Amino acid sequence: MRKYIGEIGLIITAIIWGSGFVASAVSLEYYTPYQILAGRFIIGVIILCVLFYKRLKNIKKSTLIKGTILGLFLYIAFVLQTVGLQYTTPSKNAFLTAVNVVIVPFIGFLLYKRKIDMFELVGAVTALVGVAVLSLKLSAEINIGDLLTLCCAVGFAFHIFYTAKFVKDEDAVLLTIVQMVIAAVISWIVVIFKGETSFSVESEGLLPLLYLGIFSTTIAYLLQTIAQKYITETKAAIILSTEAFWGMAFSVAILSEVMTTKMIIGAVLILIAIIISETKFSFLKKKRLNGMFEKGDTRV
């Protein structure tokens, strides 16, 4: 199990994020998108600081710098996704956000001259096709919302890439806390600037916001940061792309959305993408080698 700690952590993260689609849909009936971001990030900061306050005295300058970079990418990606959603369809928003899965390997190649793993690249493209089949409704129209969401995908790609890079040398918990503080500070500056400081205290809106803060933000991002210590950034992006599948699954289970053949095909493609990136078809190589050994034995 320890061997797959990264994969397990990211699958749980994707499941939590998938369930967050339902909570976000309900929250938007009571709060503005900017209020939701401010609320979920400040909840994350409070919980993490209460749980890990003893670690804060060991925080290093490098952690503060790296955490700040991650926090900026995190907020920029979220705000672009949220604003983009106001001008495009939820299905396009989900698909274009998932484009980050293909961008991640190219960041390493272009900025750090890293060789691209072809199995991971094929897996990334397959995952993207899966998300497209799962969520996209046919429409050739491109608008400002689509462009903003595409920019959000770049933001999330950089966040995933640099999380994997930074967590190798830093305390994952402290790195999560710093990025959460930065995202929360920016969120509240925006909320105050926009004059949206009046929050609804109705339980119907407060409960899903608490869910987003506790599970989709605190637990999910802590898990993501820790898990990325044990896995490559491209694999991480592929596994995190299953968020679209889990979002569909929770919508079917909780919001009574109808399961379609299109959804099943998309889910299967995402599963194939994970198998390609994880195994690199090593099981086929083993089978071929075993077959050769068996033939050799019969000759002897």
Side-chain angles (χ1 to χ4, degrees), residues 73-228:
F73 281 133
L74 189 61
Y75 184 79
I76 289 166
F78 261 117
V79 83
L80 286 170
Q81 183 187 45
T82 308
V83 176
L85 186 55
Q86 295 176 320
Y87 302 100
T88 189
T89 62
S91 60
K92 264 193 180 181
N93 190 261
F95 166 68
L96 292 169
T97 299
V99 169
N100 74 72
V101 76
V102 178
I103 298 171
V104 169
F106 287 100
I107 294 172
F109 176 72
L110 294 171
L111 299 185
Y112 298 95
K113 307 296 180 197
R114 283 193 199 167
K115 191 179 174 186
I116 294 176
D117 185 305
M118 289 314 294
F119 285 102
E120 289 187 353
L121 184 61
V122 170
V125 173
T126 307
L128 187 62
V129 173
V131 173
V133 173
L134 196 68
S135 61
L136 205 57
K137 288 173 185 170
L138 293 175
S139 167
E141 231 177 88
I142 293 176
N143 57 38
I144 187 67
D146 300 330
L147 294 173
L148 288 171
T149 309
L150 202 52
C151 291
C152 117
V154 176
F156 279 123
F158 272 95
H159 182 265
I160 291 168
F161 180 84
Y162 279 106
T163 296
K165 186 174 172 61
F166 293 159
V167 81
K168 298 284 189 285
D169 307 309
E170 302 293 339
D171 182 308
V173 173
L174 291 176
L175 202 58
T176 307
I177 292 172
V178 175
Q179 67 172 306
M180 211 62 68
V181 168
I182 297 300
V185 168
I186 300 170
S187 300
W188 280 96
I189 289 170
V190 171
V191 162
I192 292 164
F193 181 75
K194 289 180 73 65
E196 297 178 355
T197 51
S198 179
F199 279 72
S200 167
V201 290
E202 290 180 58
S203 60
E204 291 86 350
L206 206 54
L207 288 173
L209 182 61
L210 283 169
Y211 181 86
L212 288 173
I214 296 166
F215 290 94
S216 297
T217 307
T218 312
I219 296 172
Y221 277 101
L222 186 59
L223 268 175
Q224 182 202 348
T225 310
I226 294 168
Q228 282 200 242

